[in-house]
Amino acid sequence: GENVEQHPSTLSVQEGDSAVIKCTYSDSASNYFPWYKQELGKRPQLIIDIRSNVGEKKDQRIAVTLNKTAKHFSLHITETQPEDSAVYFCAASRSGAGSYQLTFGKGTKLSVIP
Amino acid sequence: NAGVTQTPKFQVLKTGQSMTLQCAQDMNHNSMYWYRQDPGMGLRLIYYSASEGTTDKGEVPNGYNVSRLNKREFSLRLESAAPSQTSVYFCASSEYGGADNTEAFFGQGTRLTVV
């Protein structure tokens, strides 16, 4: 099955700096890569996703890059703000049997220091 | 439009007791999922249902059973709870296919403690 590795497990940055979280995946057939943000005690919520036919995607201060050859993808957050503090999860999935099955990384706890 | 709703939000069980976690979605999604979240382990898939009438095992199915009651509802049952099943359980749903319809929407979670 798919295996997703995520690094680092914790990350502290000064407000205004950039944060980068990296993930690798094992299944070359995976074709969908979402990123979820989970605030303390809350449910995971999608912040950005990318598909295997795209190399990079941006949404305001958030960007995701994908390298299919190396089987890794990264989340970039620029101009970090205290409200960016949360746990971030990457995930990978492949389509099949009518369902996208997500395999998650173990998460990165991001702390933005004011 | 409530999205994905789980009940209960909190539960304490004694070892050996049984219980059912309920999940309902109002987004007309075909696929539904049950995940468990443990500290430092991320979210792990227990069972999923690609469509009404089908269910399949995920990564950690042992000790659990599921029922896809209809398109809206997907329940998770613990027949004989064990302390190792202490966790936060999340139900999720998504729509298969299409360029914009694969986001998984999560419920608010059920915090289960087995003593």
Side-chain angles (χ1 to χ4, degrees), chain A residues 52-113:
Chain A
S52 58
N53 60 346
V54 176
E56 183 175 5
K57 184 177 179 180
K58 291 183 180 179
D59 183 2
Q60 299 183 338
R61 296 186 296 109
I62 294 173
V64 58
T65 58
L66 171 65
N67 183 327
K68 287 189 295 181
T69 302
K71 290 191 283 187
H72 68 70
F73 56 113
S74 300
L75 177 71
H76 304 254
I77 305 174
T78 59
E79 301 173 16
T80 54
Q81 301 168 4
E83 52 264 39
D84 293 329
S85 296
V87 179
Y88 292 81
F89 293 96
C90 63
S93 74
R94 58 185 296 177
S95 55
S99 176
Y100 282 89
Q101 304 165 49
L102 288 171
T103 300
F104 285 86
K106 293 184 179 181
T108 296
K109 183 177 181 180
L110 174 64
S111 300
V112 179
I113 305 165

Side-chain angles (χ1 to χ4, degrees), chain A residues 32 36 38 41-47 49 51 87 89 95-107, chain B residues 4 31 33 35 37 40-43 45 48 50 90 94-104 106-108:
Chain A
Y32 177 61
Y36 283 81
Q38 186 179 29
K42 301 290 183 63
R43 72 190 77 190
Q45 292 190 295
L46 181 75
I47 55 170
D49 57 12
R51 300 175 193 285
V87 179
F89 293 96
S95 55
S99 176
Y100 282 89
Q101 304 165 49
L102 288 171
T103 300
F104 285 86
K106 293 184 179 181
Chain B
V4 181
S31 301
Y33 314 84
Y35 289 90
Q37 184 175 34
M41 296 296 293
L43 290 137
L45 184 64
Y48 69 98
F90 286 98
S94 69
E95 179 63 24
Y96 169 73
D100 300 312
N101 289 327
T102 54
E103 176 179 354
F106 285 81
Q108 75 273 38

Side-chain angles (χ1 to χ4, degrees), chain A residues 25-47:
Chain A
Y25 61 99
S26 61
D27 187 350
S28 57
S30 288
N31 56 10
Y32 177 61
F33 307 92
W35 286 87
Y36 283 81
K37 176 183 180 182
Q38 186 179 29
E39 297 176 352
L40 188 63
K42 301 290 183 63
R43 72 190 77 190
Q45 292 190 295
L46 181 75
I47 55 170

Side-chain angles (χ1 to χ4, degrees), chain B residues 68-107:
Chain B
R68 183 73 182 267
L69 306 171
N70 47 56
K71 191 172 185 179
R72 291 187 64 250
E73 298 173 288
F74 188 40
S75 63
L76 178 71
R77 182 162 178 83
L78 287 70
E79 291 290 354
S80 179
S84 60
Q85 294 179 304
T86 293
S87 188
V88 179
Y89 292 84
F90 286 98
C91 177
S93 71
S94 69
E95 179 63 24
Y96 169 73
D100 300 312
N101 289 327
T102 54
E103 176 179 354
F105 292 84
F106 285 81

Side-chain angles (χ1 to χ4, degrees), chain B residues 20-35:
Chain B
T20 299
L21 282 65
Q22 306 287 352
C23 175
Q25 53 91 9
D26 61 3
M27 295 175 283
N28 202 36
H29 286 166
N30 286 313
S31 301
M32 298 186 72
Y33 314 84
W34 277 104
Y35 289 90

